[in-house]
Every structure is written in structure tokens, then in C-alpha cells.
Amino acid sequence: MSFITKIKQSFEDNKDVAYGQKQSDYLKNNFPCYGIQTQARREILKNCVSTYKEEIKSNFRNICWELYQFPHREMHQVAIDIFIKEIKKNYQIEDIILIEKLIITNSWWDSVDTLAKYAVGGYLLAFPEKTYSIIEKFSNSENMWLNRTAIIFQLGYKQKTNFELLVSECEKHKHSNEFFIQKAIGWALREYGSVNPKAVLEYVNSTNLKPLSKKEAIRKLI
């Protein structure tokens, strides 16, 4: 039995149909859910990983992509959990191809935000020379989730944040009527505001952000 077969069987054995429907409703019915709460899901994953450790370590990229082909959200969540854990300090230059595929496949805020911060953010710390070309590509894409990624990938960078690049992304997308873009702008600015509130307040006060973006950006600064 492979890791994927085992994790799928474990989820099916522990599914809760009623709770699964609640989870699916929360995700706007974009995905079916087994109805397994986060802590239980992680415990199941931990138990399965202990048995299939070598298979995962040697083939995690293919495993993650295969997990993404299943409809249930828990399978996607497991893929992301594995990917983030295994890719750390193990990035290869071509990994951005798979990362982009994961972002634009089965996309919703929960998966995209994690991949943006930990996968794209981590990748560009490993290969900083790729930052401008990749962010420009994502930012100019017709895919809204790639646009959001370009805005928020520096979450967690703190003092390492390239504020000039962040401002450039905010300026490019500040007129968007898309809720997830407006929230992303506010979120990214608020995060940087925790280390440089003066710069964020000066920028917010000098530009015409959408009300939601502005509200999110300054709600911890005033």
C-alpha cells in the first residue's frame, strides 16, 4: 500500500459527513470535505508519515501533485503540509513551476495564502535573483490568485521586506474590485507596519487605496 492510498483510506475511515458539509459550506462549496478537524487530520498525517517516511522524502513533489488531483480538501491540505515541510532548505530552481501549479489548482484563500507565504516566500529567499521576474509574472497574470500571491508573498519577511516592491504591487492592484485583492493589500501593509509603521502610514495617507485595503492596513496602527 502506498502513502496516498493509506492517507485516503484513513480519511474515509474517519469521515464525519455532517461536519464535512459544514466545512464545505465554509469553503463556498468549492470542495467536498471528509469532515476531519485540523488536529485530527494532522494526527492522521503524522501516523501515516511515520510508516512511509522514505517514500515521502524521496518523492514528495510527485506525491503532493498527485494528492492535488483528488477532490477532497483534506487531500490538498495534506499535500501542502508535506510540501512545506519537505521543501524547506531543499528548494530546487525548477520548483517554482510546481509551486505555481499548486497555486492555480483547486485555488481558494486557505491554500493560496499558505503557499504564497511559505512556498513562494521561501523559494525567493533561496533564489532572491528570481524575485522580480517571478513576481512580475504573477502580478501581470490574469489569474487572481497569482496576483494575490505577488502581493502577500513577503508575509513573515519582517525587516527583510522589500517595501518598494510591496508598494509597487499595491499601486498596480489598488483599483481592483476583487475582495481578495483588496484584503491582500491591506494585510501585506499591516504586516510590514508591525516593523515600520511610519512608512506604512505615510504610504496609506498619500495614496488612494480602496476603503477595505486602507482599513485593513491601518487597523493596528492607529
Side-chain angles (χ1 to χ4, degrees), residues 167-207:
V167 167
S168 174
E169 289 305 305
C170 293
E171 286 295 302
K172 186 183 293 186
H173 296 286
K174 69 182 181 181
H175 298 301
S176 173
N177 291 319
E178 171 58 58
F179 170 83
F180 287 108
I181 296 300
Q182 293 180 23
K183 288 280 283 190
I185 290 170
W187 185 15
L189 290 170
R190 184 174 70 249
E191 283 290 299
Y192 184 60
S194 68
V195 296
N196 194 344
K198 183 175 182 289
V200 170
L201 283 171
E202 286 179 351
Y203 170 65
V204 170
N205 289 331
S206 66
T207 195

Side-chain angles (χ1 to χ4, degrees), residues 111-129:
S111 59
V112 171
D113 291 0
T114 303
L115 289 165
K117 180 177 180 179
Y118 295 103
V120 178
Y123 177 91
L124 293 177
L125 286 176
F127 303 107
E129 70 279 6

Side-chain angles (χ1 to χ4, degrees), residues 38 45 74 86 88 131 147 212 220:
T38 301
L45 175 59
E74 288 89 346
E86 296 296 331
K88 194 173 184 181
T131 299
N147 300 162
L212 177 59
K220 290 186 178 180

Side-chain angles (χ1 to χ4, degrees), residues 6 24 63 70 120 161 184 195:
K6 178 62 176 178
S24 187
I63 287 173
F70 289 90
V120 178
T161 300
V195 296

Side-chain angles (χ1 to χ4, degrees), residues 23-203:
Q23 288 183 310
S24 187
D25 290 344
Y26 177 67
L27 297 171
K28 304 296 184 185
N29 292 304
N30 284 300
F31 317 98
C33 297
Y34 286 116
I36 299 170
Q37 297 193 37
T38 301
Q39 191 55 45
R41 187 190 81 236
R42 288 174 177 164
E43 198 60 37
I44 290 170
L45 175 59
K46 181 180 177 181
N47 292 335
C48 290
V49 165
S50 66
T51 304
Y52 296 92
K53 190 175 296 184
E54 291 307 313
E55 177 190 346
I56 293 168
K57 189 165 288 295
S58 64
N59 196 34
F60 73 90
R61 293 173 176 87
N62 289 331
I63 287 173
C64 291
W65 182 239
E66 190 172 340
L67 285 165
Y68 246 67
Q69 308 315 301
F70 289 90
H72 286 80
R73 198 55 168 170
E74 288 89 346
M75 299 294 271
H76 311 154
Q77 290 165 336
V78 162
I80 293 171
D81 287 346
I82 290 173
F83 189 80
I84 298 304
K85 180 178 184 295
E86 296 296 331
I87 202 73
K88 194 173 184 181
K89 298 182 181 178
N90 190 30
Y91 285 102
Q92 298 176 6
I93 197 75
E94 65 272 17
D95 281 332
I96 194 61
I97 298 171
L98 175 57
I99 292 169
E100 181 177 348
K101 285 169 63 178
L102 292 172
I103 290 170
I104 65 176
T105 303
N106 296 318
S107 307
W108 199 240
W109 65 265
D110 58 332
S111 59
V112 171
D113 291 0
T114 303
L115 289 165
K117 180 177 180 179
Y118 295 103
V120 178
Y123 177 91
L124 293 177
L125 286 176
F127 303 107
E129 70 279 6
K130 294 287 187 180
T131 299
Y132 284 100
S133 61
I134 289 169
I135 296 309
E136 183 178 19
K137 178 187 177 185
F138 284 10
S139 182
N140 293 334
S141 172
E142 294 183 2
N143 183 287
M144 182 272 293
W145 297 110
L146 289 177
N147 300 162
R148 181 174 168 96
T149 296
I151 296 166
I152 67 172
F153 81 96
Q154 296 188 90
L155 293 175
Y157 274 28
K158 302 296 184 184
Q159 290 89 349
K160 294 180 181 179
T161 300
N162 183 333
F163 187 53
E164 181 181 349
L165 179 57
L166 173 56
V167 167
S168 174
E169 289 305 305
C170 293
E171 286 295 302
K172 186 183 293 186
H173 296 286
K174 69 182 181 181
H175 298 301
S176 173
N177 291 319
E178 171 58 58
F179 170 83
F180 287 108
I181 296 300
Q182 293 180 23
K183 288 280 283 190
I185 290 170
W187 185 15
L189 290 170
R190 184 174 70 249
E191 283 290 299
Y192 184 60
S194 68
V195 296
N196 194 344
K198 183 175 182 289
V200 170
L201 283 171
E202 286 179 351
Y203 170 65

